[in-house]
Amino acid sequence: MSDYLTRLNPEQRAAVETVDGPLLVLAGAGTGKTRVLTTRFAHILMSRRAFPNQVLAVTFTNKAAKEMRERVASILGQPAEGLWLGTFHALCARMLRRHAELVGLTSNFTILDTDDQMRLLKQIMAAENIDTKRWTPQNLMGAIQRWKDRGLTPDRVTDAEDVDFANGRARGLYAQYQERLKAVNAADFGDLLLHVTEILRTRPDVLANYHRMFRYILVDEYQDTNTVQYLWLRLLAQRENPAERNICCVGDDDQSIYSWRGAEIENILRFEKDFPGATIVRLEANYRSTRPILGAAAGLIAQNNGRLGKTLRPGRNDAEGDPVSVISLWDSEEEARMVGERIEQAQRRRHKLSEIAILVRTGSQTRAFEERLITLGIPYRVVGGQKFYERSEIRDAMAYLRVVNQPADDLAFERIVNQPKRGLGDTAIRAMHELGRREGKPLVSAAWRMIETGALRAKAKQSLHELLEGFARWRAQLPAEGHVVVAATMLEESGYTDMWKQDKSPEAAGRLENLKELLRALGEFETLAGFLEHVALVMETDENAEADRVSLMTLHAAKGLEFDMVFLPGWEEGLFPHQRALDESGDKGLEEERRLAYVGITRARQKAIISHAANRRIYANWSSAVPSRFLDELPEEHVLREGGAGAHRTRMANQPSAFAGQFPLVSRKPRVIEAGAWEVAQRPARTASMPVGQRVFHQKFGYGRVMAVDDSKLDVEFEHAGRKRVIDTFVEKA
């Protein structure tokens, strides 16, 4: 028996040795999917069923392709040469070079990046006199990419497929864009798959040649394929002789979480229909997680109807472990403290921070945990995204706040003077700088002078005048209204939030959530200046990629990763499952959210800690939160519930808070102030005084002890931040 086969369990070996006919390998989390795929590839070559160039192996990332190539070479004992192994785009680019003339290109065509695509679309829209402020090039590019992901050329876009863009002109613009690409001998990434699929559709001779060429097809992460990828694979695999349909797709229908990126779970669900008589092998022995973690994940995902079905079981003898913790907390601030304290406990036990992860549903949730980890001095990294205060929309909003706080802040003013667009080009900005330097004045003063001297065009002059008057007005409102209300008003009246509301890109909704989270952060500080100083200090935190750090990321970014200890906060209705997913996709959206929860739990090797809060201060406003319905779906035998006895029992969003009657909610709810489209809140007053010696907690500085009292001001010696003077309403007894 070959040595490489003896290392496999019976399920894995069946997947490797079933080489003839269509095969679907349902590989659960941590079941050795990559080992099966690479061993099968090597087995086909070792058993001389095919030469290296007769196997087509498709992955989703270059990293996965590199790993597969190295593992195959390791089994073969020699470099794997001449393989058709790579990502969808890399393989299609290779095919398109061979047949470029069939779609009006030459073999040396250029592959455009996003910037080049955008520039080309702007030229086309300008020629058609389309208002790019109302109908943005980004939105048009998004629509075109979605059509390409669905395998739709311009002539295939029907009325039902069309989008509401520029009064029904999107299809025509798409056609012009494709013609311009051909004119400059170029293709974008979407074209690589679209063109090759069209060639295979319309040229039977080319398709027959590839049928003769590829005897075996291997596909990784099949559940993440979109429509055009599915069409390409099916064309290559659907031979006249069913016995020659040697396609093996490896995937997990329970981990299909990228529908927003075009992935179609139906592709994997209909595999048996596409390939009658297909063999299905289920990999269910998990070598990653403990029995309680697997049991909790299995019980949760079993609630989904749209799945082929499998149940994970421990593959190791030492798979016993602690039950999954479900912790009910009073509010989101206590949740962040709980996570920080447990990480500190793990640190004291010399647990590596790199084996700890906090997985959140939305990017806006990271701020509370970032702040807490910074306060405790625990190093962390944000995986798959920027830290909260480094995100572009937060930097923009901070620039607005800096100008309100300090009108002479030229760097901040320059960043937002034309954000959103106010008709000020590079020439106007340069003239503003020159005038400021010549007269020794800040840019704000130079801008006023340019308005007075008529140095600007009418439209730019008016918009700049409105902005400068706005800054004067917002600054004057600070003493009476407070910095939270002023910030909300400013973001609304400046047009900044409206800019993101008009943006139809997938990221726009998350950017708006981040801006609202920024308002919540503002409410935790006594003054605007204090907040700006705090953020400046946060931004100075050193970064060392090699250091031992806690990983902080969204659930989507966590797929494929694993950690010893995983925190899963924010399991509340509307947050997880996310309300937007339910509103847009109904039951289908709910099932994808449940798959996302399944992915989150199965990232944990030893310890999974799920938490939810009775109250979440979202966008600076306290509101009662209802525990996620997913908590009721976790099997009791695999779960240990802590805090808020009985809280998890009530879960439906249309019912009162699960904590109703247990805590005095009204006493914690602040007065809400309307400010444009934002809802902001004043901090609830506290009348109790803090005696000397009292142990207290401050949201920014953490725990400390009162050393002196001066009316409402306290001198507090904080454990991590040293001695600070704070207002008594900003601390609570600990």
Side-chain angles (χ1 to χ4, degrees):
M1 188 185 299
S2 299
D3 179 59
Y4 62 86
L5 293 176
T6 62
R7 295 195 293 266
L8 306 176
N9 67 31
E11 299 161 344
Q12 293 171 335
R13 188 166 175 185
V16 167
E17 295 188 306
T18 306
V19 290
D20 297 321
L23 170 69
L24 176 63
V25 180
L26 290 176
T31 57
K33 167 182 71 73
T34 305
R35 169 177 285 189
V36 165
L37 200 58
T38 53
T39 306
R40 179 184 173 87
F41 196 155
H43 180 65
I44 290 170
L45 301 182
M46 295 280 280
S47 59
R48 303 189 184 281
R49 287 177 167 81
F51 292 109
N53 64 351
Q54 292 178 316
V55 181
L56 178 69
V58 192
T59 66
F60 265 84
T61 66
N62 291 313
K63 179 182 177 183
K66 181 174 181 289
E67 182 180 1
M68 187 183 296
R69 187 181 301 275
E70 290 172 351
R71 288 201 188 190
V72 170
S74 176
I75 295 173
L76 295 177
Q78 63 185 43
E81 303 290 347
L83 303 180
W84 276 77
L85 165 62
T87 64
F88 280 96
H89 289 101
L91 293 170
C92 282
R94 188 173 171 183
M95 288 182 173
L96 189 56
R97 299 277 180 203
R98 292 182 165 198
H99 311 289
E101 73 283 352
L102 298 180
V103 290
L105 301 172
T106 62
S107 61
N108 65 339
F109 64 84
T110 302
I111 300 175
L112 299 188
D113 61 18
T114 304
D115 289 342
D116 290 332
Q117 287 176 259
M118 191 63 63
R119 190 157 46 248
L120 191 56
L121 284 175
K122 286 178 179 177
Q123 292 172 7
I124 293 169
M125 294 175 72
E128 293 293 316
N129 295 316
I130 293 174
D131 183 358
T132 55
K133 290 184 178 178
R134 183 178 180 190
W135 312 103
T136 68
Q138 291 89 342
N139 290 347
L140 177 59
M141 187 165 73
I144 290 173
Q145 189 56 57
R146 286 191 292 274
W147 282 329
K148 291 185 178 184
D149 286 346
R150 299 177 68 182
L152 300 173
T153 54
D155 58 302
R156 291 178 184 270
V157 178
T158 64
D159 289 340
E161 302 284 353
D162 203 356
V163 293
D164 181 19
F165 184 90
N167 301 316
R169 300 169 68 182
R171 272 182 295 186
L173 293 169
Y174 177 21
Q176 285 191 52
Y177 173 66
Q178 293 301 96
E179 288 301 318
R180 288 292 299 277
L181 285 173
K182 289 180 183 178
V184 297
N185 194 35
D188 62 24
F189 272 90
D191 283 329
L192 299 177
L193 275 149
L194 183 67
H195 284 328
V196 173
T197 302
E198 281 300 299
I199 292 169
L200 298 179
R201 261 178 180 163
T202 57
R203 292 295 299 265
D205 56 326
V206 176
L207 180 60
N209 182 54
Y210 281 113
H211 282 169
R212 287 189 296 270
M213 183 175 175
F214 297 130
R215 297 189 63 183
Y216 292 92
I217 299 174
L218 306 177
V219 187
D220 191 14
E221 303 286 8
Y222 189 59
Q223 79 281 349
D224 291 336
T225 53
N226 61 29
T227 301
V228 72
Q229 290 164 345
Y230 163 80
L231 292 173
W232 178 71
L233 287 168
R234 207 175 80 163
L235 283 163
L236 291 171
Q238 289 284 18
R239 301 164 182 253
E240 288 186 20
N241 184 354
E244 296 179 350
R245 296 174 182 173
N246 299 326
I247 181 171
C248 170
C249 293
V250 181
D252 185 0
D253 52 325
D254 291 334
Q255 295 189 71
S256 179
I257 59 174
Y258 296 121
S259 66
W260 51 277
R261 238 166 37 186
E264 294 280 355
I265 190 175
E266 288 78 11
N267 295 348
I268 193 170
L269 297 180
R270 65 177 170 226
F271 187 85
E272 287 182 283
K273 184 178 179 181
D274 288 337
F275 300 98
T279 302
I280 295 184
V281 174
R282 289 172 168 82
L283 304 183
E284 299 177 312
N286 176 283
Y287 295 93
R288 174 191 301 159
S289 306
T290 62
R291 188 182 304 277
I293 290 171
L294 297 178
L300 176 66
I301 201 63
Q303 307 300 316
N304 271 6
N305 294 317
R307 63 191 296 260
L308 296 170
K310 63 183 173 303
T311 302
L312 295 181
R313 65 177 187 277
R316 309 191 322 260
N317 295 326
D318 60 343
E320 302 303 324
D322 297 333
V324 174
S325 296
V326 176
I327 304 177
S328 304
L329 298 157
W330 163 250
D331 59 24
S332 50
E333 295 175 1
E334 186 182 356
E335 183 179 56
R337 290 200 296 272
M338 178 275 294
V339 170
E341 287 166 4
R342 296 206 177 199
I343 292 175
E344 281 191 310
Q345 291 170 9
Q347 211 177 6
R348 284 194 288 271
R349 296 194 299 269
R350 301 193 179 282
H351 199 294
K352 289 182 67 176
L353 293 179
S354 60
E355 290 298 340
I356 301 174
I358 305 169
L359 309 183
V360 296
R361 174 60 183 86
T362 67
S364 63
Q365 288 175 263
T366 67
R367 190 201 64 81
F369 298 102
E370 287 186 55
E371 297 270 12
R372 190 68 194 137
L373 294 175
I374 289 169
T375 298
L376 295 174
I378 297 173
Y380 72 95
R381 64 190 181 115
V382 177
V383 179
Q386 295 172 302
K387 293 184 176 182
F388 183 81
Y389 291 112
E390 293 174 354
R391 295 166 186 169
S392 61
E393 67 276 11
I394 300 302
R395 284 183 177 271
D396 288 344
M398 292 294 298
Y400 273 101
L401 293 171
R402 284 165 55 188
V403 176
V404 168
N405 183 65
Q406 172 53 266
D409 191 334
D410 283 0
L411 291 175
F413 183 73
E414 183 179 8
R415 181 182 179 95
I416 50 82
V417 68
N418 206 33
Q419 187 76 335
K421 300 295 184 186
R422 296 187 173 90
L424 295 163
D426 292 339
T427 303
I429 301 295
R430 191 161 50 249
M432 203 179 297
H433 272 288
E434 291 172 354
L435 179 60
R437 283 196 300 269
R438 191 165 58 248
E439 298 189 357
K441 294 181 178 179
L443 285 183
V444 169
S445 299
W448 276 117
R449 288 277 292 129
M450 289 181 71
I451 291 171
E452 293 167 359
T453 59
L456 297 170
R457 290 175 299 181
K459 184 177 179 181
K461 178 180 177 180
Q462 180 182 347
S463 60
L464 182 59
H465 188 266
E466 289 174 358
L467 177 66
L468 295 175
E469 280 195 331
F471 275 121
R473 182 173 65 256
W474 302 321
R475 197 172 297 115
Q477 290 172 350
L478 270 176
E481 300 289 345
H483 54 289
V484 180
V485 174
V486 167
T489 304
M490 178 177 60
L491 290 174
E492 190 69 25
E493 292 182 354
S494 67
Y496 190 75
T497 55
D498 191 58
M499 178 184 76
W500 290 117
K501 289 175 186 175
Q502 298 301 320
D503 192 313
K504 301 302 180 185
S505 67
E507 299 83 16
R511 294 184 191 277
L512 283 168
E513 287 184 357
N514 290 337
L515 290 172
K516 292 174 181 177
E517 177 64 19
L518 179 67
L519 292 182
R520 192 186 86 77
L522 267 169
E524 297 171 5
F525 290 82
E526 301 159 36
T527 64
L528 176 57
F531 173 71
L532 293 174
E533 179 182 335
H534 165 73
V535 174
L537 295 173
V538 168
M539 296 287 282
E540 284 299 314
T541 303
D542 65 326
E543 186 67 59
N544 180 357
E546 302 301 319
D548 189 29
R549 296 175 180 273
V550 173
S551 295
L552 181 55
M553 70 191 86
T554 65
L555 286 159
H556 284 100
K559 187 170 177 288
L561 304 177
E562 54 186 78
F563 304 89
D564 287 346
M565 177 183 290
V566 171
F567 292 92
L568 299 160
W571 282 41
E572 297 135 29
E573 287 294 310
L575 184 55
F576 195 36
H578 201 282
Q579 193 61 46
R580 189 166 65 246
L582 303 182
D583 292 343
E584 293 177 359
S585 305
D587 289 343
K588 189 176 178 181
L590 174 61
E591 294 212 344
E592 179 156 334
E593 290 288 291
R594 191 178 282 114
R595 291 194 293 271
L596 194 55
Y598 170 85
V599 166
I601 294 173
T602 54
R603 298 312 93 196
R605 297 191 195 104
Q606 299 170 8
K607 187 68 178 173
I609 302 167
I610 301 170
S611 59
H612 66 100
N615 303 284
R616 190 163 292 274
R617 193 164 62 178
I618 302 176
Y619 319 145
N621 181 35
W622 284 105
S623 61
S624 300
V626 176
S628 170
R629 67 191 76 190
F630 297 155
L631 297 177
D632 270 355
E633 297 170 358
L634 298 172
E636 290 296 328
E637 63 269 26
H638 299 301
V639 171
L640 174 65
R641 304 193 186 260
E642 306 175 39
H648 60 279
R649 297 295 180 192
T650 308
R651 60 174 174 80
M652 297 309 293
N654 59 357
Q655 294 177 349
S657 167
F659 288 79
Q662 297 185 40
F663 302 104
L665 277 176
V666 176
S667 67
R668 286 293 298 267
K669 198 129 182 175
R671 183 168 67 88
V672 175
I673 304 168
E674 292 292 339
W678 303 96
E679 208 178 48
V680 297
Q682 290 182 333
R683 183 178 294 275
R686 185 192 303 276
T687 56
S689 60
M690 297 287 181
V692 172
Q694 172 68 49
R695 182 173 163 80
V696 296
F697 176 79
H698 187 283
Q699 183 64 28
K700 175 182 174 183
F701 302 122
Y703 290 98
R705 195 167 297 279
V706 177
M707 307 304 293
V709 179
D710 179 11
D711 193 22
S712 63
K713 299 179 182 66
L714 309 176
D715 288 338
V716 181
E717 187 69 37
F718 289 101
E719 294 172 3
H720 295 282
R723 196 175 182 113
K724 303 283 184 183
R725 170 160 282 206
V726 297
I727 305 297
D728 60 2
T729 56
F730 283 79
V731 297
E732 55 188 62
K733 293 180 180 179

